[in-house]
Amino acid sequence: MKVVATYSKPEEAYLTASLLEASGIEVAIWDDNTVALYWLYSNAIGGVKVAVCEEDYEQAREILDLPPLDPGILKCPHCGSARVHVRELGLLTAILIFITGPLLPIRSRKADCLDCKKSFELKAADGQIKGDQP
C-alpha cells in the first residue's frame, strides 16, 4: 500500500476514501483513530493517511487532481459566478444575540461575489436572492 494523501482531520480522509472507492479503488485509512482521540497528535504523526495499492496509485492521483465538478451551490445573481463568500456573523451581532437571546431575529445574511465584487442578500425564509446595487 502507498499513501496517496494525508489530512489533518479524519473526516477529510473519509471523504477522499469514499471518492476513491466510488471509482473502484481499494482504500485503507491509517491513523484516523489516533487523530480522532488525540487531535493534537495529528501533526506529530503526519496526519490521517489515505493509502491505495501501488498499482492503483497513479489512477488515484489522477482522480484526486481533478477539479471539482460543482464548485458551489450558491451563484452570484450579477455575474453567475460560483466563487461566492457568505459573510460570517459579526462580533457585535454575536454579542447582541448572546445578550438578548431569541428576541433579536436574524432573517437574512449577506454574501459577496469574489469575481465581480458585488454583494447580495440571502433570504433564509423563502430562499430568494436579492442583489444589492453597487
Side-chain angles (χ1 to χ4, degrees), residues 16-94:
T16 298
S18 66
L19 175 68
L20 294 174
E21 287 174 345
S23 300
I25 298 174
E26 188 177 330
V27 177
I29 299 178
W30 298 334
D31 297 328
D32 55 334
N33 291 329
T34 303
V35 173
L37 290 173
Y38 307 106
W39 59 271
L40 290 172
Y41 288 2
S42 181
N43 288 338
I45 63 173
V48 181
K49 298 156 195 77
V50 178
V52 296
C53 296
E54 291 191 25
E55 57 269 5
D56 294 330
Y57 181 80
E58 291 301 322
Q59 182 184 2
R61 283 296 338 146
E62 288 176 11
I63 291 170
L64 295 179
D65 290 338
L66 289 174
L69 295 177
D70 189 9
I73 301 170
L74 189 60
K75 304 248 188 247
C76 174
H78 302 288
C79 68
S81 172
R83 292 185 27 155
V84 174
H85 174 73
V86 177
R87 292 185 193 174
E88 299 294 327
L89 192 65
L91 179 63
L92 180 61
T93 307

Side-chain angles (χ1 to χ4, degrees), residues 73-77 120-123 126-131:
I73 301 170
L74 189 60
K75 304 248 188 247
C76 174
F120 55 96
E121 191 172 321
L122 302 173
K123 296 283 187 182
D126 55 5
Q128 295 178 352
I129 298 174
K130 181 177 122 184

